[in-house]
Amino acid sequence: MPRQSQPDPKGKKTLRLEKALQEKETGNNFFKKGDYKKAIEHYGKAIELDPKEAVYVINRAMAYLKLKKWVEAENDCTNGLLLHPDNTKALWRRGIARRELGKLQDAKKDLEDALQLEPNDTAIKNEYGKVLDAIMASSPDRTSNEIPRSVDGSVVNNINRRRLSIEEVDLDENERIIESAKKVLFTDKNNTSQQIANENGNIKVIKINTPRNIHEFERDWNRYQDNDENLYQFIKAIPPASYPTLLSDFFEPDYLSKIVFIMKKYFLLYDSVNDIYNILYYLSRVGRFNLVLMLLEKDDKKVLEDLLSTLYKSIDELQIDNIGINQQTKATRQDVIELAKAYGVQIQ
């Protein structure tokens, strides 16, 4: 009589799957540190242990994108889609890789498929716009009547991006949650250049509109970033509580670097303690904040340290100065200490 195999709750298969999960987590940790080669190595081990799990190969595709290995990223996304045909992140990432490889029509198809599944995904919409821009650029004879439109029928703006914007890492599909913007602390949500003129008569006033989305933010940032006074007015025109939604997956180290520089140069002179605190607080709530912070240069960290230290001392002075100014200040010294911890700097 043949022997019947007995179920083993801790059999080789179970142990192998657990090991695959461990390798994935190790890969995720290396990814967060910016060591994409090590991340690829451990994602590869997870794939060997559990070749039927799509998330491992799709995560590895993201690491390949970071290293600009477009062919490898495309292949991994294709393999991930064989395992999980409706995976929007695999479609989106393959769209990025194919755009970089010049496969514009294939990239367009991938992104349209992704938008059918996730029509409100900002990252996919932005990549789709870049692909349509590239198609337009490769066909110079096209007339204005042939301006490409997105799948919802709206015109896609022709905006030149400075770099490839890639989300931090979507370890598991529901792991990354971007906190909604809280109550706006500025008294006037639509801050205007005229208000800046009233406060700072020595700054040449320019007309600035509050950016409503990442397209407008990047357009205006590129317009003003070479003039510190103009950039100061642009930053001042943005309600701080809008940063988590406005920047979302598009937060970059150079944004944070320049913002803190402008805050030290202008905000400490012309604006309230609470204005400075609010901007730094809400920037720390942007989804990519931890990754951006890791990529920040030492000089930028020193500017942050000086800024927060000055902020801390200013609040202390306001609290002991009995002239009523402290009533305008909502941030406390403890708030600044906690904020310094979030930015990884020490108050001097």
Side-chain angles (χ1 to χ4, degrees):
M1 189 173 183
R3 290 178 56 188
Q4 293 185 349
S5 59
Q6 299 296 320
D8 182 359
K10 272 292 184 184
K12 291 183 178 180
K13 182 177 180 181
T14 302
L15 292 173
R16 189 171 68 250
L17 297 182
E18 289 179 356
K19 178 63 175 174
L21 283 171
Q22 292 172 3
E23 292 292 346
K24 183 201 76 167
E25 291 305 317
T26 303
N28 289 343
N29 291 332
F30 277 115
F31 188 100
K32 290 178 180 178
K33 295 175 183 177
D35 192 339
Y36 306 119
K37 290 183 179 179
K38 280 286 188 182
I40 288 168
E41 178 184 330
H42 287 280
Y43 290 143
K45 291 179 180 178
I47 293 166
E48 291 176 4
L49 291 163
D50 187 5
K52 293 184 179 180
E53 176 53 62
V55 72
Y56 304 152
V57 70
I58 294 171
N59 274 10
R60 189 172 69 175
M62 173 62 80
Y64 278 132
L65 286 178
K66 283 289 193 178
L67 295 175
K68 299 184 178 180
K69 293 189 174 183
W70 315 121
V71 173
E72 291 87 345
E74 180 189 22
N75 290 338
D76 268 2
C77 289
T78 298
N79 290 332
L81 288 165
L82 291 174
L83 297 168
H84 188 175
D86 292 334
N87 190 290
T88 55
K89 296 187 185 301
L91 288 165
W92 171 58
R93 291 171 188 171
R94 191 169 69 175
I96 293 172
R98 286 178 165 176
R99 174 174 60 80
E100 294 289 347
L101 290 169
K103 301 178 179 180
L104 299 180
Q105 293 300 329
D106 289 338
K108 179 173 176 285
K109 176 65 166 59
D110 279 341
L111 295 163
E112 286 175 345
D113 289 345
L115 283 170
Q116 289 293 332
L117 297 166
E118 293 288 347
N120 297 318
D121 190 294
T122 303
I124 299 172
K125 284 182 177 180
N126 281 299
E127 180 59 31
Y128 184 63
K130 286 192 269 186
V131 169
L132 293 181
D133 288 344
I135 291 173
M136 278 284 287
S138 66
S139 306
D141 329 340
R142 297 179 67 176
T143 67
S144 58
N145 292 329
E146 297 176 292
I147 294 175
R149 296 179 179 271
S150 64
V151 291
D152 62 1
S154 59
V155 175
V156 177
N157 293 326
N158 188 15
I159 297 174
N160 294 321
R161 303 283 178 163
R162 292 173 297 101
R163 65 177 65 190
L164 174 67
S165 296
I166 300 176
E167 69 178 5
E168 186 168 339
V169 61
D170 60 343
L171 312 181
D172 293 314
E173 293 295 326
N174 298 319
E175 197 172 43
R176 185 175 56 84
I177 301 174
I178 299 175
E179 181 176 317
S180 300
K182 297 180 180 179
K183 182 180 180 182
V184 177
L185 298 179
F186 274 9
T187 55
D188 183 359
K189 186 174 182 180
N190 297 313
N191 196 6
T192 66
S193 57
Q194 185 58 45
Q195 290 171 315
I196 294 171
N198 291 339
E199 295 168 9
N200 316 302
N202 59 331
I203 290 181
K204 183 178 179 181
V205 178
I206 59 173
K207 176 65 177 177
I208 293 179
N209 295 317
T210 302
R212 295 167 296 180
N213 51 51
I214 188 62
H215 293 291
E216 294 181 358
F217 177 88
E218 290 188 336
R219 178 199 64 199
D220 293 341
W221 180 274
N222 290 333
R223 179 184 300 168
Y224 302 130
Q225 66 174 331
D226 294 329
N227 184 300
D228 289 349
E229 287 188 1
N230 291 349
L231 189 58
Y232 162 64
Q233 296 182 62
F234 173 61
I235 294 169
K236 193 169 174 63
I238 302 172
S242 71
Y243 277 121
T245 302
L246 181 64
L247 296 181
S248 187
D249 292 331
F250 301 93
F251 198 21
E252 299 288 352
D254 57 335
Y255 292 158
L256 182 57
S257 171
K258 194 67 175 179
I259 288 172
V260 297
F261 169 78
I262 293 297
M263 291 177 76
K264 183 179 178 182
K265 184 175 180 179
Y266 291 102
F267 277 80
L268 285 178
L269 290 175
Y270 301 124
D271 296 274
S272 73
V273 166
N274 212 52
D275 290 340
I276 299 170
Y277 175 83
N278 290 338
I279 294 174
L280 289 175
Y281 172 78
Y282 282 105
L283 285 173
S284 74
R285 311 306 293 173
V286 178
R288 283 169 52 96
F289 173 74
N290 290 331
L291 178 61
V292 166
L293 199 61
M294 285 193 294
L295 299 176
L296 214 57
E297 300 289 341
K298 288 183 179 179
D299 290 344
D300 298 322
K301 284 289 189 76
K302 182 63 170 63
V303 174
L304 262 171
E305 183 180 286
D306 293 343
L307 181 61
L308 285 162
S309 295
T310 304
L311 193 62
Y312 178 86
K313 293 173 184 176
S314 298
I315 290 177
D316 186 30
E317 291 171 1
L318 289 174
Q319 288 174 339
I320 64 175
D321 191 2
N322 189 23
I323 58 175
I325 297 177
N326 58 316
Q327 294 177 2
Q328 300 174 11
T329 305
K330 296 178 183 178
T332 66
R333 293 175 64 190
Q334 186 59 39
D335 290 333
V336 178
I337 291 172
E338 293 301 320
L339 195 59
K341 289 179 182 178
Y343 279 91
V345 299
Q346 292 186 343
I347 293 174
Q348 300 297 326

